Amino acid sequence: MANTFTVTYQITLNATNKDHANYETVDAYIRRTSPTTLNTVGVSVSSAKINMSGTTFWSSAGNNPYLDFHNYGRAFVSTSVTDKTSISLTTPSGFSLANLLSVGTSDTAIGIYAYKSTSGNVCTYSSINAVLTITATCVQNYSKSSASVTSNVEAGSASQVTFTNSNLANVYHKVTWTFGSSSYTVPTSTGASSASYTIPVSWLTNIPNATYGTASVSVTTYATDGTNLGSDTYSFTITASPSVVPILSISASRIDNGVPSAWGVYVQGKSGITLTATASGAQGSTISQYTISGGASYTQTSNVFIISTISASGSITYTIKVTDSRGRTASVNTTISVEAYAPPSFASSQAFRCTSGGVASETGTYASVKASGTFTSISGKNTCALAVQYGLSTGSAYSSATALQDNTTAVIGGGTIDINASYKIRFTLTDTFSTVEKVVNLGTAAYTVFFRQGGNGVAFGKVSERENALEINSDWGLYHGDDNLAGTVPVSRGGTGATTVAAARNALGLGNTNGALPVANGGTGATTAAAARNALGLGNTSGAVPVANGGTGAADAATARTNLGITLANLGAAASSHNHSGANITSGTIPAARLPFIVQYGSTTITGVSWQSVSFGSAFTSKPIVVVSYAGNAATSGIAVLKTQSENTTGFQVCMAGSSGSGTRTVNWIAVGT
């Protein structure tokens, strides 16, 4: 649509006489008064009117009187003109309103020619320097362009704007792309049909918590002379490429937990690991959570994962994934090699009485011992020592340890093994991390039945060593039917089937023989609360358990409800704006307290025309409506109309009206208000 505007011109007479006669040309000056600057490119004049107020016209329309203003236009000036402030300029042959466009802001000399069909004056001006005003209505024939814009643009790609204008060859455009606080403006060349701009990926900093956002492009159209023909603004969507993801790297550090640091290896069941994620968001996003999987599995807001003890062996891969505020993720793996480890264990052990030469003898005062065991070498870094000690079965003391070679017989005791006493032979296997033991009983000299001197003890298969006791050679069985009651009590009979804590844990299916009880066996696999939470997948090692790990992420009920998204709407409760109209209530009784008004009522006694004051039980917030009536059957005489006065929020007054009221009467009253 073309733009319309007005231009005004001032004509100042330079006459010698204020009377303008027929066929006379009067000198004058013309100049443009508004606007001070006029760009005429593409402009036409659709109409013009002249203000000649103060001028007297002398001839009727039949005499065809008119004034020709230079070559701009002709004004008919008969006595029939009723509005001298707005006389149209016509354009006979040789005249053109467009000639006005060449008039500048400085005075230009012109002539005003007068004509009528009879002699005499055509008009009389107010003075020889009278001022006339021409108002021209102009049209800017070039209009602003319409445009089409690419609806979705991925950051890093071009946004295309295409212009449509019937006068495209005569206009140019200024295009501004805006997204949040970012913008870019480019002017086009005259006649250009489109403009494009590659949206910088850095503009995504305007949407740190979203993958897309609404942008705008403003198109302003200009005529070639710089005239602003108008602007329009269009919306489009900028999206983040799938490649816009967080940046992540991880580092691992070994927790030795007693493993010699010089070994430089991870050891199963001993070593731990600290994994530190170094992450940053992409184009303004922030990291919201960290998740580990593989060798462990939980989510937290901290970037440091501490695995206090590694329970598996071999090649273990940990994957850490970060999630940013846009919901975009990045993952990085790290793989470590863990050396297998198990505590030392005995394969066999034996001990018996012997001579100094090692020959078996039931009355020998030496002990022949031999044991073999296994241990985990950890690539030759771990060593294991086998040793043996002996001591009286009735005591707790042991001899000094004697080193043994694996599966090699040795003779110990030095002839001090008393034939009348039983001994404990204790074998130990000791590696870098732990010591395990195996105890073998060495009985007294062999007897079928031995009665203790004094008669206060008896033994079977051995010497009696205790007073007031019945003893049985530990190598003998004690049977009840087919059940051997000697030794350990089997699990099937309510025992553990073992003689050590480690063996008992294994026999009862409680996992590893030392340390924390594994998760797989009903424990936590840890010795601290923090490590237990990690092992059980309960997220961060301190504070509230995160929502992602089955907790509330809060330490109070209100925050917990917020974190879990629990609202009244979730629970099916109506919104606070919810209401019902009275038409919805079709049955039942509404308690007075629920009514939108207050009702109070009572009775009082009045006498004649004397005013009786009544007080409400509780004050109203505004003056109520009060209604009064006589109680019971009215008397036939002495009764007058009731009247009230002084109604207010706390009470009123009542009495009989006129002079006819007499006697004492009971009056009921009711007050309704808020």
Side-chain angles (χ1 to χ4, degrees), residues 359-387:
V359 178
S361 171
E362 292 186 355
T363 58
T365 56
Y366 294 83
S368 174
V369 295
K370 183 173 71 171
S372 66
T374 60
F375 72 100
T376 308
S377 69
I378 309 180
S379 301
K381 294 178 174 60
N382 191 23
T383 59
C384 188
L386 174 62

Side-chain angles (χ1 to χ4, degrees), residues 20 22 56-66 76-81 115-123:
H20 198 158
N22 187 18
T56 302
F57 301 154
W58 298 111
S59 297
S60 64
N63 293 325
N64 194 29
Y66 61 80
F76 288 93
V77 290
S78 71
T79 54
S80 300
V81 174
Y115 170 83
K116 68 177 181 177
S117 60
T118 61
S119 61
N121 292 328
V122 174
C123 66

Side-chain angles (χ1 to χ4, degrees), residues 138-159:
C138 299
V139 178
Q140 173 54 263
N141 295 298
Y142 298 161
S143 61
K144 68 179 179 180
S145 301
S146 61
S148 60
V149 180
T150 308
S151 59
N152 285 279
V153 178
E154 189 176 273
S157 300
S159 170

Side-chain angles (χ1 to χ4, degrees), residues 9 44-49 71-74 88-92 94-103 134-138:
Y9 302 89
S44 62
V45 182
S46 61
S47 64
K49 295 180 183 295
N71 61 353
Y72 308 135
R74 174 175 294 172
S88 296
L89 291 181
T90 62
T91 53
F95 292 84
S96 174
L97 295 177
N99 293 328
L100 287 168
L101 297 176
S102 62
V103 176
I134 295 177
T135 300
T137 299
C138 299

Side-chain angles (χ1 to χ4, degrees), residues 122-359:
V122 174
C123 66
T124 299
Y125 300 105
S126 60
S127 70
I128 60 174
N129 299 119
V131 174
L132 311 178
T133 302
I134 295 177
T135 300
T137 299
C138 299
V139 178
Q140 173 54 263
N141 295 298
Y142 298 161
S143 61
K144 68 179 179 180
S145 301
S146 61
S148 60
V149 180
T150 308
S151 59
N152 285 279
V153 178
E154 189 176 273
S157 300
S159 170
Q160 185 80 15
V161 181
T162 303
F163 314 117
T164 300
N165 193 315
S166 59
N167 293 297
L168 189 61
N170 298 302
V171 298
Y172 68 93
H173 302 87
K174 184 179 290 184
V175 184
T176 300
W177 287 264
T178 302
F179 189 45
S181 61
S182 304
S183 66
Y184 177 78
T185 300
V186 62
T188 70
S189 58
T190 299
S193 61
S194 65
S196 67
Y197 176 58
T198 299
I199 303 299
V201 175
S202 61
W203 280 22
L204 294 176
T205 56
N206 292 287
I207 49 169
N209 302 319
T211 56
Y212 63 91
T214 300
S216 65
V217 57
S218 172
V219 178
T220 303
T221 307
Y222 294 88
T224 53
D225 63 346
T227 300
N228 186 328
L229 302 178
S231 300
D232 282 313
T233 299
Y234 305 87
S235 295
F236 68 102
T237 300
I238 294 178
T239 60
S241 164
S243 63
V244 179
V245 297
I247 300 170
L248 171 65
S249 63
I250 59 175
S251 61
S253 61
R254 195 175 62 252
I255 302 174
D256 287 323
N257 289 337
V259 177
S261 59
W263 288 10
V265 296
Y266 293 92
V267 177
Q268 179 185 12
K270 300 298 178 183
S271 302
I273 187 172
T274 298
L275 296 165
T276 301
T278 301
S280 60
Q283 303 301 333
S285 70
T286 56
I287 302 301
S288 59
Q289 68 179 27
Y290 299 80
T291 300
I292 188 171
S293 59
S297 180
Y298 55 94
T299 297
Q300 61 186 32
T301 55
S302 169
N303 68 319
V304 179
F305 295 88
I306 300 175
I307 313 301
S308 58
T309 304
I310 303 171
S311 58
S313 64
S315 179
I316 299 177
T317 297
Y318 295 96
T319 299
I320 292 181
K321 179 178 74 175
V322 295
T323 304
D324 70 3
S325 52
R326 289 193 184 97
R328 295 287 176 83
T329 62
S331 298
V332 175
N333 299 330
T334 187
T335 300
I336 62 172
S337 178
V338 180
E339 295 281 351
Y341 174 75
S345 62
F346 284 95
S348 63
S349 61
Q350 68 176 31
F352 55 85
R353 287 181 178 271
C354 67
T355 65
S356 61
V359 178

Side-chain angles (χ1 to χ4, degrees), residues 584-606:
N584 298 127
I585 304 173
T586 59
S587 62
T589 302
I590 300 176
R594 299 301 298 274
L595 294 173
F597 51 82
I598 298 172
V599 178
Q600 298 188 52
Y601 55 88
S603 62
T604 188
T605 301
I606 62 174

Side-chain angles (χ1 to χ4, degrees), residues 527-540:
T527 58
T528 65
R533 287 178 65 157
N534 279 334
L536 295 175
L538 295 179
N540 54 297

